[in-house]
Amino acid sequence: MKKTMIFGGVLAVLLIGFIIFIQNVNMNRLGTDQYFVQVQEGTRVEDKSDNGEKYVYYEYNLEGFDKEGAAKTLTFTAHKELRKEAYLRVYVKKTSVSSYQEVQASELPGPAKLKLDALGK
């Protein structure tokens, strides 16, 4: 009886920990390389889903830099138009962008910031 209660308690703690982990961790960002980009003009694309419903997304093709300043051309889509000249941290798995988030200029690594500033001029 005592062993069953201990086992149940440990199982409950593991389950609660797993639920908290899943809610707070973006799985698309695990095991990725990070690049930094500055948003420029995106291409507005209108398309239809299989059921005929129209939808709009924006495609971006931007030059990104990692924390050492190495360059890579990144292509990704967004469901809304991104704020022009905003800085993004882009998460790349192999050859495709899996996620992104907006960051402040102060959060950019030095080499990446220098290269992005040079692109903007």
Side-chain angles (χ1 to χ4, degrees):
M1 174 91 166
K2 196 173 195 181
K3 288 182 181 181
T4 305
M5 289 180 66
I6 292 172
F7 178 74
V10 169
L11 189 61
V13 167
L14 288 174
L15 182 62
I16 291 169
F18 178 73
I19 290 170
I20 291 171
F21 175 78
I22 292 297
Q23 288 179 342
N24 294 314
V25 174
N26 186 337
M27 299 301 276
N28 290 325
R29 296 179 182 174
L30 294 177
T32 60
D33 296 322
Q34 295 180 24
Y35 287 85
F36 297 89
V37 300
Q38 187 172 24
V39 177
Q40 304 302 322
E41 291 294 323
T43 304
R44 180 185 165 104
V45 179
E46 294 184 24
D47 205 353
K48 287 186 180 180
S49 62
D50 293 338
N51 65 4
E53 189 176 322
K54 290 182 181 181
Y55 66 94
V56 175
Y57 65 92
Y58 294 85
E59 185 171 281
Y60 294 90
N61 188 16
L62 303 171
E63 191 75 15
F65 301 95
D66 66 10
K67 62 183 178 181
E68 283 87 31
K72 185 172 191 171
T73 301
L74 304 167
T75 301
F76 63 97
T77 60
H79 295 290
K80 64 177 185 171
E81 188 172 16
L82 300 176
R83 189 170 59 83
K84 190 171 178 178
E85 297 186 8
Y87 292 107
L88 300 179
R89 176 182 287 128
V90 180
Y91 299 88
V92 180
K93 281 188 180 177
K94 296 182 184 176
T95 58
S96 64
V97 172
S98 62
S99 182
Y100 61 86
Q101 75 181 64
E102 186 170 337
V103 295
Q104 299 299 315
S106 61
E107 297 177 61
L108 297 173
K113 183 163 179 20
L114 289 173
K115 300 243 176 147
L116 288 171
D117 289 344
L119 278 179
K121 292 180 181 178

